[in-house]
Amino acid sequence: MKIFFTSSQRGKEFFLENYKRIQIALEQIPESKLIEDDLLNEESGSFYKKLELGGQKAYINFYQQELNYLKTADINVFDCSFHSLSIGFTIQRSLDINKPTIVLYEENNTPYFLTGIEEEKFIISSYNKTNLEAVVNKAVKLAMDVRDKRFNFFIRPDLLNYITEVSRRDDIPISVFLRNLILEHKKKNK
C-alpha cells in the first residue's frame, strides 16, 4: 500500500517534529511504502528559492509532481496544523480523484473549513503529543476500509461491447461507468 504524506513547508517552523513523527508512524505500518516527498528533506527557504529561481517551469513541475504523488498513492495524508491554501487545494484534488484522504492536525489548531467536509473517503483527526502515533494508525485503518477494492467478473461479449462503446462515446473509463451505474442503483433503492 502506497501512502503519500505532505504538509505546509512554512509549517515546518512550528510543526517539524510532528511531521517527522507522522512520517515515522506511516513508515511503520505493515506493508506500507511511503511515497518520497521533499517535505522533510529540504529547508523551507531553499525550497521556495529553488522554485522562484526555476521560474514558471519549476512551478509547473512541482504541481505535476504533487498530482502524480496523489494519483500514485493508495492513501493521501496531510497535516493541516499550519493553515495553507496550497495544502487545502491538494486535499481537494485528492478527494476529486476519489482517494482516501486523511487530514491530521494538532489539537488547538483546528482547520475549521476542512472540518465541514462530509465525504465518505475523508478522515479528519486531531492529535496531541501523547497520542499522535495512535491517531495516525487509527486514521490509516479507517482509510484502508474506504479505499476502492478491485474485483473481476465475467461478462458476455455483447455487454462488454456496449460498455466499451459507452465509455468511448462519453470519454470515461469503463470502471467509472460501472461505478456510476452502481451508485445510481444504490440511490434509487435506498
Side-chain angles (χ1 to χ4, degrees):
M1 170 180 60
K2 290 180 263 183
I3 300 174
F4 174 55
F5 168 61
T6 195
S7 195
S8 167
Q9 276 285 343
R10 288 185 177 95
K12 287 185 349 185
E13 180 182 341
F14 307 99
F15 300 104
L16 181 60
E17 288 309 309
N18 294 355
Y19 297 174
K20 288 178 180 177
R21 286 178 62 195
I22 290 168
Q23 184 172 7
I24 291 167
L26 292 170
E27 288 171 340
Q28 292 176 345
I29 292 171
E31 299 179 30
S32 71
K33 180 182 184 315
L34 205 59
I35 294 173
E36 190 61 39
D37 187 20
D38 292 333
L39 175 67
L40 299 179
N41 302 333
E42 193 168 0
E43 192 269 328
S44 292
S46 66
F47 171 81
Y48 289 112
K49 188 166 235 34
K50 185 172 72 175
L51 275 178
E52 289 173 16
L53 291 173
Q56 185 64 24
K57 185 169 178 66
Y59 293 120
I60 290 169
N61 288 339
F62 174 64
Y63 177 79
Q64 293 299 327
Q65 178 184 35
E66 293 295 299
L67 287 183
N68 186 49
Y69 290 155
L70 294 175
K71 291 175 185 175
T72 303
D74 297 305
I75 297 171
N76 293 311
V77 180
F78 305 88
D79 186 294
C80 289
S81 301
F82 189 86
H83 302 249
S84 163
L85 289 174
S86 297
I87 296 300
F89 175 79
T90 310
I91 289 166
Q92 186 58 53
R93 294 295 295 174
S94 177
L95 292 169
D96 288 345
I97 59 174
N98 204 32
K99 296 289 181 160
T101 304
I102 299 171
V103 168
L104 304 168
Y105 64 94
E106 189 175 65
E107 59 187 23
N108 302 322
N109 291 298
T110 306
Y112 293 105
F113 188 74
L114 296 176
T115 59
I117 296 174
E118 292 180 328
E119 293 199 27
E120 180 185 15
K121 294 189 177 187
F122 184 72
I123 298 153
I124 186 165
S125 299
S126 68
Y127 63 82
N128 59 42
K129 300 285 186 207
T130 60
N131 71 358
L132 188 145
E133 287 79 8
V135 168
V136 169
N137 287 319
K138 182 179 179 184
V140 170
K141 284 182 181 144
L142 290 170
M144 289 170 65
D145 288 342
V146 297
R147 73 180 187 191
D148 291 340
K149 309 292 190 273
R150 179 180 205 90
F151 76 96
N152 298 320
F153 65 98
F154 294 102
I155 188 170
R156 294 187 336 229
D158 63 316
L159 294 176
L160 180 59
N161 290 339
Y162 174 75
I163 61 176
T164 301
E165 180 184 311
V166 170
S167 171
R168 286 186 189 134
R169 182 192 70 213
D170 295 349
D171 194 30
I172 59 170
I174 290 173
S175 60
V176 171
F177 173 72
L178 294 174
R179 189 178 305 118
N180 289 342
L181 283 176
I182 295 167
L183 289 171
E184 185 178 311
H185 186 271
K186 184 178 172 185
K187 270 186 200 174
K188 283 183 188 175
N189 294 296
K190 235 180 181 182

